[in-house]
Amino acid sequence: MLSAYLPVLREADLDEQSELPKIIDRTAQSLRFLKQYLYENAGSANPDALIEKPVNFEIDRTAFGYRTDDEQIILQYNDVGTHREFLYLLALINSNAVGWEQIGFAWYAGTCIDPYTEMLDTILIVPELPYYSQCIAGGIDPAQMSASDFRIVYDACARVCFEKGLNHWGSYCESSPVTSESVFTRNKAKEPGDTKLSAFMAASFLAWLDDAYGFEQVSLFCFGQKSFEEAFGTDFQSAFDAWHAWIEQTYPAE
């Protein structure tokens, strides 16, 4: 079910009669895909009970976030361009404290894995980006991107983050620690990645961990069922350093 404050749609120059069905259909495709992907690949981390609940989308100006109750998952957006898949995945994780791993998982699964991601609807890779050249060298065609290309985007962004540091040279998700994100809630006991990773970096790091250890282990960690060492057999800093070295080797500086 979707409820929308129509002025928000009209301010975005969207005709509700023609565009709302498209939004609903695209979102339904993403959610069906993610539900099936988690079922097939997340193993025991798959949130079986929660994933069967209906999803209610609310588009208005009052809130941005997600919540669950006994009957449904509720996703709230303050504009029509917000990433619906992102909040859906965070709702499925249903963590009491959202840190770098949950944010990174939502960006990774919701864009790199989901072939219906709404991120494909606009050209996002433009020459003005500081990591544009790395994206092009990685094989991206900005006009014809696939979901898997976002892995290259996040890797390339991470390469520039290592050079420039996390000092807000771009958007929050690109160039600031995940602690800057509105959905970040792990305030009492921050993990090392919370201050070392932006959201895009976290997505790149989890993609690398997925390649090395598999999606089930990534899911068990991100859904809070295993610690980092239990899931990956190594400590965070060792894995971080190995990923950092891989980024610099794969995406060399100009």
Side-chain angles (χ1 to χ4, degrees), residues 73-150:
I73 296 172
I74 301 168
L75 308 179
Q76 296 177 297
Y77 304 93
N78 48 27
D79 62 66
V80 294
T82 309
H83 310 298
R84 295 176 288 277
E85 307 95 325
F86 175 82
L87 286 182
Y88 175 64
L89 288 163
L90 287 179
L92 290 184
I93 293 172
N94 199 28
S95 175
N96 291 326
V98 175
W100 74 264
E101 62 270 39
Q102 288 83 27
I103 294 173
F105 185 92
W107 276 104
Y108 172 50
T111 57
C112 300
I113 293 176
D114 174 18
Y116 304 105
T117 174
E118 65 188 69
M119 294 271 280
L120 294 171
D121 291 345
T122 58
I123 295 179
L124 299 172
I125 306 307
V126 294
E128 291 76 21
L129 287 174
Y131 49 91
Y132 177 82
S133 60
Q134 285 89 351
C135 288
I136 299 305
I140 286 180
D141 178 352
Q144 294 182 327
M145 289 181 62
S146 65
S148 60
D149 287 333
F150 283 103

Side-chain angles (χ1 to χ4, degrees), residues 128-134 156-171 174-177 196 198 201 244 248 253-254:
E128 291 76 21
L129 287 174
Y131 49 91
Y132 177 82
S133 60
Q134 285 89 351
C157 182
R159 182 65 178 87
V160 175
C161 285
F162 284 125
E163 291 179 2
K164 290 179 174 286
L166 294 180
N167 50 30
H168 198 40
W169 47 261
S171 66
E174 293 171 311
S175 62
S176 295
K196 288 188 174 183
S198 70
M201 291 177 76
H244 183 176
E248 294 200 338
E254 295 180 319

Side-chain angles (χ1 to χ4, degrees), residues 2 9 12 20 35 41 72 81 97 135 137 143 237:
L2 183 146
L9 303 183
L20 269 180
K35 176 180 176 179
N41 297 280
Q72 63 185 334
C135 288
Q237 190 61 52

Side-chain angles (χ1 to χ4, degrees), residues 163-214:
E163 291 179 2
K164 290 179 174 286
L166 294 180
N167 50 30
H168 198 40
W169 47 261
S171 66
Y172 284 120
C173 57
E174 293 171 311
S175 62
S176 295
V178 294
T179 53
S180 302
E181 298 283 342
S182 62
V183 292
F184 180 85
T185 59
R186 186 163 59 202
N187 294 317
K188 291 185 178 180
K190 292 185 177 67
E191 297 295 324
D194 292 341
T195 54
K196 288 188 174 183
L197 296 162
S198 70
F200 279 13
M201 291 177 76
S204 170
F205 186 32
L206 288 175
W208 182 83
L209 289 168
D210 187 358
D211 288 344
Y213 301 97

Side-chain angles (χ1 to χ4, degrees), residues 1 29 47 60 150 153 188 237:
M1 182 172 68
Q29 287 180 308
D60 59 30
F150 283 103
V153 173
K188 291 185 178 180
Q237 190 61 52

